[in-house]
Amino acid sequence: MKRYTKTSIFAYSIILPSLLFIFIFLLFPLLYSISISFRGYKYGVPTGEIVWFRNFVDIFTKETVAPGFYESLLVTLKFTVSAVIAVVVISLTIALLIKERCITSTWLKYSLLLPYAIPGVISAVVWNWIYDANFGVLNGVLFKLGLIKDYVGITSNPGLALWAILFAYVWKFVPASTYIFSAGLATIPDSVYEAAQMDGAGTFRTFFKITIPSLMPVLQLVLVMQTIFALVMHFGLVFVLTQGGPGSRTRTLAWLVYMESFTYTRFGRGTAMAIILALIMVVFIYVYLVLLNPERQIERKGGR
Amino acid sequence: MLLLSTISRRKKIKRVIVICLSVIFLIYILSPIYWVIISGFQKEAALEDRPPHFIPKKEIVTSNHYHFLFTGDIPPDSTLMLQSMYTMSGTLVYPAIINSLIIALFVTFINFMLGFPAGHVFARYRFWADKKIFLLMLATRLLPSISIVIPMYILLNKAGLLDTKFALICIYTAITLPFTIWILKAYFKNIPPAFEEAARIDGCGYFKMMAKVVLPLAMPGIIAALIFAFMTSYGEFVFATILTQTIASKTQTAVLAALAQGMSTSRGMIAAAATLSFLPPLVLAVIFRKHVLAGVCINLKI
């Protein structure tokens, strides 16, 4: 017991500075946000009135006071589900292509470094230029191919805006999960595939009977991790490409929080929304870190 | 013989499909970068052509946009209408990139000084509430920045620290440290502790052991973690755009996002600015590609 205490004192003396940083600049603001959400704000200044849970109740019940909350919840859901599916399908496909060891494999593997390294919001600037309604290259390509008669606004089109954001989002977030899938695929021994081939299993049967089951732990991790990302990491793209528009077509929860807080300076309600968003994410974070626990994968495998 | 030939034919078809798909994905991945780099070197008037020049000819190539970004000199040959497109916010790009680099380098250094020993402690010692602390740290990090930024704004406003590099450095350190510690903890788990024990038996003190034995062994993991910390803090946007107001602390992400909003800003200049902005992390990622690739899945244990 005494030894344990001594180790604890030593360990805490080493990690204390790190913990202080994390406590002061992450945990404390989060706790403080609860106090903000209980206050009323007018023109960015606290009214001094403690309204307790009224901000939360307003968001859920008063459509006139907090417009568009459910709508934005729906947009967020639509974006998150499509983004997760798109990222997982595309990155798994690319990982399988890399595994084929063609001449293109090395190219694919290293070219993915570029979107991975480019800061998210800079990629938004790049895509903004590509989508440009007057001189954008996407319009140019479609025009040259004869698919459109005149240049069209892409991010200003109500039907297209969210998908334009999705297309750019996928571009940025595919690399990381591709690398993870690649690492997962590498753990499946070649002998298993050879045996399947001997037994006459086709490409699709091999994929569904061998690849997917062997990849299950990795697949689960990527799914949850991508959900955590997709819920908020599109903020930079929305900021640069659409500002939540046209109308409210791309007004996701993250953007609504920003609007409430910094456009309308209703910090109390904005913070309340931010807390709701954080609570949604806590569910996925719990699943990711505790139920799936990335570090426990190896033990699970060893026990099999 | 017949069976063999069908198998080889199937293999050929498969190969063709693989290469076709790979090329499609390569175009998707690389073309935006190609396009933005090319655009940065084209004359503004040429960028307005329909359809655009997919492969620029010699007469439309120019380095004026870059010249403007570095010196603030408006290209002399441009028309009055064009001159107005070189907005003064363009001159902020270069200092903003310097700001970003300064902030990211500080954050990376603090990450090394604090994260390296902390990761080691989490990997090697069992102590009071170690697992809970570790989990809490990671969970806090995964919560959305947009939830943290509002209270942060109010707190920093009270403390008079809005619009300072200092505030950004501290926040970025806090958001990068959990991952740095996570990556390093996972990396240390793969190094047998025997080396450290041997060093201790030979009478090596803690600090000497960390510097002379642990540091060289853990170098690949440290590089992976630090590059990740650098890229995260260099490219962070939510805090950067809300907590900064002037060029005293504005980072390249905030400046670029604002620049891209301008309806009548020179598109060539924006493209050149974007290219300059993503160059530092890109060069780093290419140089340390092996470490970056390993770093992505280091803590997944697959």
Side-chain angles (χ1 to χ4, degrees), chain B residues 99-262:
Chain B
N99 274 351
S100 280
L101 284 174
I102 292 171
I103 291 170
L105 284 175
F106 263 105
V107 172
T108 311
F109 179 71
I110 303 173
N111 260 282
F112 171 67
M113 294 304 284
L114 301 182
F116 164 54
H120 182 256
V121 161
F122 274 113
R124 288 284 188 265
Y125 302 97
R126 295 280 64 85
F127 50 91
W128 179 75
D130 52 353
K131 293 216 169 88
K132 284 186 192 108
I133 293 266
F134 191 67
L135 215 61
L136 182 71
M137 207 170 70
L138 282 177
T140 323
R141 166 61 187 92
L142 286 172
L143 283 170
S145 321
I146 193 80
S147 302
I148 302 167
V149 77
I150 309 167
M152 205 70 209
Y153 179 85
I154 292 167
L155 286 169
L156 287 179
N157 201 4
K158 274 183 189 163
L161 284 172
L162 270 184
D163 197 26
T164 57
K165 287 194 199 80
F166 176 75
L168 284 184
I169 290 173
C170 290
I171 295 166
Y172 292 169
T173 305
I175 60 175
T176 49
L177 260 177
F179 277 165
T180 303
I181 294 175
W182 198 16
I183 293 174
L184 285 174
K185 180 196 170 193
Y187 197 83
F188 283 125
K189 286 269 185 189
N190 289 333
I191 305 175
F195 297 104
E196 294 156 40
E197 281 156 16
R200 284 310 262 267
I201 289 166
D202 288 347
C204 206
Y206 174 76
F207 290 100
K208 202 175 166 193
M209 175 196 81
M210 287 300 280
K212 300 271 179 182
V213 181
V214 183
L215 185 63
L217 281 173
M219 219 35 172
I222 292 173
I223 292 175
L226 291 186
I227 286 187
F228 190 72
F230 179 89
M231 294 206 300
T232 310
S233 44
Y234 182 86
E236 205 284 330
F237 174 63
V238 178
F239 291 108
T241 192
I242 293 171
L243 303 179
T244 64
Q245 287 142 357
T246 65
I247 195 60
S249 69
K250 257 196 189 304
T251 66
Q252 44 91 21
T253 49
V255 167
L256 256 285
L259 205 62
Q261 308 268 288

Side-chain angles (χ1 to χ4, degrees), chain A residues 4 8 11-12 22 25 29 32 104 111 113-114 122 129 134 137 167 171 179 239-240 243 261-262 274 294-295, chain B residues 22 26 28-29 33 35 39 50 127-128 137 144 147 150-152 158 170 182 242 252-253 261 289 293 300:
Chain A
Y4 190 71
S8 289
Y12 274 97
I22 293 161
F25 293 99
Y32 185 65
T104 46
S111 65
L113 272 175
L114 305 179
I122 304 300
W129 169 224
N134 295 314
V137 69
F167 200 67
W171 183 80
Y179 292 142
F239 188 99
V240 173
Q243 296 266 321
S261 312
F262 295 102
E295 289 180 63
Chain B
S22 300
L26 274 173
Y28 178 39
I29 296 164
I33 298 164
W35 184 244
S39 301
R50 290 184 186 189
F127 50 91
W128 179 75
M137 207 170 70
S147 302
I150 309 167
M152 205 70 209
K158 274 183 189 163
C170 290
W182 198 16
I242 293 171
Q252 44 91 21
T253 49
Q261 308 268 288
R289 57 192 173 276
L293 287 189
L300 290 175

Side-chain angles (χ1 to χ4, degrees), chain A residues 104-230:
Chain A
T104 46
S105 297
T106 333
W107 271 91
L108 266 178
K109 189 172 156 192
Y110 287 117
S111 65
L112 280 173
L113 272 175
L114 305 179
Y116 180 73
I118 290 179
V121 73
I122 304 300
S123 81
V125 173
V126 172
W127 282 98
N128 191 40
W129 169 224
I130 291 170
Y131 290 148
D132 196 287
N134 295 314
F135 319 115
V137 69
L138 185 61
N139 267 316
V141 171
L142 294 175
F143 184 72
K144 186 127 197 185
L145 291 175
L147 292 170
I148 49 170
K149 286 208 176 61
D150 195 17
Y151 277 30
V152 291
I154 294 166
T155 51
S156 58
N157 182 323
L160 288 177
L162 193 66
W163 308 118
I165 289 179
L166 185 87
F167 200 67
Y169 176 89
V170 167
W171 183 80
K172 168 75 187 143
F173 280 85
V174 150
S177 42
T178 306
Y179 292 142
I180 293 168
F181 278 134
S182 278
L185 286 174
T187 60
I188 308 172
D190 282 338
S191 56
V192 181
Y193 284 109
E194 280 156 21
Q197 211 174 21
M198 289 287 187
D199 294 341
T203 313
F204 286 96
R205 268 204 50 199
T206 319
F207 177 73
F208 285 109
K209 296 281 173 187
I210 296 174
T211 311
I212 289 289
S214 323
L215 218 53
M216 217 44 192
V218 182
L219 196 64
Q220 287 173 342
L221 273 177
V222 173
L223 273 174
V224 181
M225 197 173 72
Q226 284 302 326
T227 312
I228 296 172
F229 288 161

